Amino acid sequence: MKRNMLAIIILALLVINTVLTGIVMLSVMQTNQKTATVISDIASALELEAGGGSGTSSGFARQASDITAAETANYEITDIQISLAKTESGQSAILQCSLNISMDTVNSDYATLGSSDSLSGATSKIKSIVNEVVSPYNYDNVAENQAAIEKEILEKVQDYFGSAFIYDISFSSFLPVKM
């Protein structure tokens, strides 16, 4: 009889412990959510990005839509020819294109990395990045994926320079040609 009574007391304490643990977890979760909300509100008020923001000399990142034409410099790389992957029918093609690079002149990295000398020195690397991104596509699907290609090129070029002073990359000409 004492053994059964002891088992019932242990079971009751176990249930009470589980209930109290659930209550503590619930209250901690609610507090954590409120803290996260306050932090995100403060960050949005300060215009910080989750990545730490390195867009301008003040350390705040800028969106492409916030950059005016007066704060933009463009650099164009012309006469790029890229061999495309063969289609399922075995047909080969090339892409003849020109690339327009839009840069934020307010960004602190623009002064050192955005000069014509710096970009002309990096032209070969940028062409290599474009070739790496575009070459897996074939004649049939390269045109319909142009926006995705531009976005991927932008990300890789920003990684190469280690800066977001280049905020947009677009094709000024984009012509797939069957061979």
Side-chain angles (χ1 to χ4, degrees):
M1 184 100 155
K2 287 183 181 182
R3 205 180 250 186
N4 287 341
M5 190 64 129
L6 187 60
I8 292 173
I9 291 173
I10 291 173
L11 182 61
L13 289 174
L14 180 68
V15 170
I16 291 171
N17 188 19
T18 304
V19 170
L20 290 176
T21 302
I23 291 170
V24 168
M25 288 300 294
L26 188 62
S27 66
V28 168
M29 294 282 288
Q30 289 175 348
T31 304
N32 189 19
Q33 288 175 345
K34 290 177 184 176
T35 304
T37 304
V38 168
I39 290 173
S40 66
D41 289 345
I42 291 170
S44 65
L46 295 175
E47 298 177 13
L48 294 175
E49 282 190 359
S54 60
T56 64
S57 58
S58 62
F60 296 117
R62 291 171 22 126
Q63 300 294 323
S65 60
D66 296 337
I67 301 171
T68 64
E71 298 170 334
T72 299
N74 292 308
Y75 183 79
E76 189 161 6
I77 301 174
T78 57
D79 301 326
I80 302 172
Q81 292 189 357
I82 301 163
S83 294
L84 298 174
K86 291 187 177 187
T87 61
E88 290 179 9
S89 62
Q91 185 173 19
S92 59
I94 62 169
L95 175 67
Q96 296 176 340
C97 60
S98 296
L99 197 66
N100 184 43
I101 300 172
S102 299
M103 299 170 285
D104 179 7
T105 58
V106 177
N107 188 299
S108 60
D109 290 332
Y110 172 75
T112 54
L113 299 173
S115 67
S116 292
D117 293 336
S118 176
L119 286 175
S120 64
T123 299
S124 296
K125 179 61 179 174
I126 294 171
K127 284 182 177 180
S128 172
I129 290 170
V130 172
N131 188 32
E132 176 186 326
V133 171
V134 174
S135 61
Y137 293 92
N138 61 37
Y139 180 81
D140 296 333
N141 63 9
V142 71
E144 62 196 35
N145 291 309
Q146 182 176 345
I149 291 169
E150 290 172 349
K151 182 179 178 185
E152 187 175 350
I153 291 171
L154 175 62
E155 290 170 359
K156 289 191 177 205
V157 168
Q158 285 176 338
D159 286 345
Y160 171 71
F161 283 106
S163 176
F165 79 98
I166 295 176
Y167 69 90
D168 186 43
I169 288 186
S170 58
F171 289 104
S172 54
S173 69
F174 192 85
L175 181 65
V177 178
K178 290 182 181 180
M179 299 298 283

